[in-house]
Amino acid sequence: MNNLGVSSVFSGIAAAYPRVAGAAAAASASGPAATAATATSPIAQEVVPGAGQSGALPTNAASPSDESAADSQAEQQAQIQRQLSQVEAELLRVRQTEIRELASRDREVRTHEQAHKAVGGQYAGAVSYSYERGPDGRLYAVGGSVAIDTAPVPGDPAATLQKLQQVQRAALAPAQPSAQDIAVAAQAAQAMAQARGELATETVDASTGEDDAATVIRDRTAATADADKSLAVYRQVSAADSPAGGSASPSVQTWA
């Protein structure tokens, strides 16, 4: 009875799936040899596609995570390059600004000292400059001085007065006299007052009239007043031009 039940079930399966039933029947009929044959049957090829191949699965060239990392690295490099470009541009701007300032200072200093030299004439010495090397490798004048002779002419107050008047004009010749320039002008004014006094004394010695004596007194008073005014101006300018940590301006230097 068991054998009949199995045959009935198998018959139903064979009716529904004739190919499977045929393969099973062949296997039961032929034994191991038939079972081996089923490995190459059409049903085996349909159930296991790709049988007989190497069995290796295809792989992607680059995963999404690798592409994302590459994009991030490229963006970082681009950002670094932009930052470097900005730094280079700023350095260039600072360099050009420094060169312009040095060139402007050079022109100012040379114009200032040449004004002293031109007006001082025979009483002015050689011009001396101090230099600073710019970022372009050139030397720029950033300071200067001119020696000026303020010594009185021995035994000749009139010649001394004329000389000191020229010295004073030379000291104040630049468009913007420095504190030292004002100091030289004030010293010249004092020496001029002394020369006028000597001239007045000589006049008194040569004349005994009261009118001459009164003229001498007036000359001395006027000379003293001029010297006081020059000294007052010097003190004001010197105080204004000498802030803490300030740089020295081009100046006239005196020598006897």
Side-chain angles (χ1 to χ4, degrees), residues 8-89:
S8 176
V9 173
F10 182 79
S11 298
I13 295 175
Y17 302 99
R19 288 195 296 174
V20 175
S28 63
S30 302
T35 302
T38 60
T40 58
S41 66
I43 188 62
Q45 294 178 2
E46 291 180 4
V47 173
V48 185
Q53 298 179 1
S54 62
L57 295 176
T59 58
N60 293 330
S63 65
S65 60
D66 292 338
E67 294 179 355
S68 177
D71 293 342
S72 177
Q73 184 177 4
E75 178 61 27
Q76 289 178 356
Q77 291 178 350
Q79 183 176 1
I80 292 173
Q81 187 62 39
R82 288 193 296 269
Q83 292 175 347
L84 288 176
S85 299
Q86 292 174 356
V87 170
E88 291 176 355

Side-chain angles (χ1 to χ4, degrees), residues 48-231:
V48 185
Q53 298 179 1
S54 62
L57 295 176
T59 58
N60 293 330
S63 65
S65 60
D66 292 338
E67 294 179 355
S68 177
D71 293 342
S72 177
Q73 184 177 4
E75 178 61 27
Q76 289 178 356
Q77 291 178 350
Q79 183 176 1
I80 292 173
Q81 187 62 39
R82 288 193 296 269
Q83 292 175 347
L84 288 176
S85 299
Q86 292 174 356
V87 170
E88 291 176 355
E90 180 64 17
L91 289 176
L92 179 60
R93 186 191 66 79
V94 171
R95 181 176 182 270
Q96 292 175 342
T97 300
E98 184 177 355
I99 291 174
R100 285 195 299 269
E101 291 176 352
L102 286 172
S104 176
R105 177 62 176 170
D106 183 276
R107 290 190 298 269
E108 177 187 349
V109 168
R110 293 181 187 277
T111 301
H112 187 110
E113 303 306 336
Q114 288 300 324
H116 288 316
K117 177 70 175 177
V119 179
Q122 60 180 329
Y123 305 117
V127 181
S128 176
Y129 295 108
S130 58
Y131 297 93
E132 180 177 331
R133 189 177 298 278
D136 56 352
R138 294 182 55 188
L139 291 176
Y140 295 90
V142 294
S145 61
V146 176
I148 192 79
D149 180 8
T150 60
V153 178
D156 193 343
T160 298
L161 181 61
Q162 184 178 3
K163 173 183 178 179
L164 293 175
Q165 287 173 341
Q166 185 173 349
V167 168
Q168 188 179 55
R169 290 194 300 271
L172 302 177
Q176 296 181 342
S178 67
Q180 179 65 16
D181 298 340
I182 300 296
V184 172
Q187 292 172 5
Q190 286 182 315
M192 288 163 60
Q194 184 177 353
R196 289 191 182 96
E198 293 176 0
L199 280 174
T201 300
E202 290 180 359
T203 303
V204 170
D205 291 342
S207 175
T208 57
E210 293 183 359
D211 292 338
D212 291 337
T215 300
V216 170
I217 293 174
R218 286 195 302 271
D219 290 342
R220 286 181 176 177
T221 301
T224 301
D226 289 341
D228 291 342
K229 289 179 181 178
S230 297
L231 286 173

